[in-house]
Amino acid sequence: MLETEESARDYNPQQQTNSKYALDECELQIPDIPEQVELAETPIVVDQDFQDLLVVQAEDVSSWDQAGSCQNVSVYKKMTEDSPIVLLKAYALIEGVTTDIVYEVITNQEVRRSWDKVLSNFEILQEDPGDGISVLYFMIKTPIGVSNRDFVQQRKVKKDFPQPGFITMHFKSVSHPKCPEKPHTVRGDTLISGYIIEPDVDSQGRPSTKLTIISQNDIKGVIPKAIVNMLSGKAPRQWVGNLVKGCEDYMKTMKK
């Protein structure tokens, strides 16, 4: 996972294919970063979790470190006062894929298993579609000689927020009686994590998606935090590349 941090370069928004999500050096234009959060016209009661997520989304990245970039993906990181774990923020443009498909490919556990190369044993422990809250379990694949890591997360989903057509998802660690800690497995801690899925239109006039990824996860254990933080910038770019492939495969199945 080790990489040399890359400097940001402008990508050309006229580029048209999802094959550009390769991890080699490429032209980059950082997607527009909102200066402030605009709420939908209909009054919405926003709990603290979503407030915290949107504050991170709207924060100017001029004070963040560039953690790696490629065409249509840009990653930033910074340290926070309350944790030794780096906070990541990534912006991605997924061309020719609607927000509904991106959301389905991320949340459908059967579809997720087909493309996500990081997670294993992904399971929904508890789900209440009415209030948009679920409890998830998953394990992170680790190299030989490193203890497995697993997470139990609460997932909150709010549609048409913070604007109509957007889908916002928030994650944090919780405990659940169905999934106590396991022997020989280190239970990780999600401090804050989430996605803001935003509708867009690409240069060909196709419905597309802007995706903001926010992540601050402590994998615990004896691995030095400095090494974890140094390697963390690569993961969002790899994950987005896999997500794009998952979306393309999902759309092909829809046409059959």
Side-chain angles (χ1 to χ4, degrees), residues 1-6 23 65-70 73-78 86-90 215 226-240:
M1 295 175 63
L2 183 60
E3 65 171 2
T4 302
E5 294 195 0
E6 306 156 273
L23 296 180
D65 295 325
Q66 185 81 35
S69 298
C70 192
V73 185
S74 180
V75 185
Y76 298 89
K77 65 181 181 179
K78 77 168 189 175
V86 70
L87 174 63
L88 294 173
K89 179 163 62 171
S215 176
I227 294 178
V228 174
N229 293 339
M230 181 176 60
L231 301 177
S232 60
K234 185 177 181 180
R237 294 184 300 147
Q238 293 178 322
W239 187 86
V240 169

Side-chain angles (χ1 to χ4, degrees), residues 15 34 55 66 102 105 122 133 169 178 182 190 237 244 247 251:
Q15 292 172 314
V55 166
Q66 185 81 35
V102 171
V105 171
F122 182 73
I133 298 178
M169 305 170 64
K178 289 184 179 179
K182 301 178 180 181
T190 297
R237 294 184 300 147
V244 170
C247 289
M251 289 189 293

Side-chain angles (χ1 to χ4, degrees), residues 152-190:
V152 177
Q153 293 179 339
Q154 179 193 73
R155 178 180 69 194
K156 294 181 181 178
V157 178
K158 191 178 287 292
K159 296 186 176 182
D160 292 318
F161 176 82
Q163 298 182 40
F166 286 45
I167 304 173
T168 300
M169 305 170 64
H170 177 276
F171 303 84
K172 65 180 179 183
S173 282
V174 294
S175 58
H176 196 279
K178 289 184 179 179
C179 198
E181 294 190 22
K182 301 178 180 181
H184 312 298
T185 301
V186 178
R187 178 62 50 90
D189 183 23
T190 297

Side-chain angles (χ1 to χ4, degrees), residues 21 105 114-118 235-249:
Y21 289 86
V105 171
S114 70
W115 64 265
D116 196 320
K117 308 304 181 184
V118 176
R237 294 184 300 147
Q238 293 178 322
W239 187 86
V240 169
N242 292 333
L243 170 63
V244 170
K245 181 63 166 56
C247 289
E248 293 172 342
D249 291 343

Side-chain angles (χ1 to χ4, degrees), residues 79-85 191 216:
M79 300 304 300
T80 58
E81 294 181 357
D82 56 348
S83 174
I85 304 302
L191 306 177
Q216 191 175 30

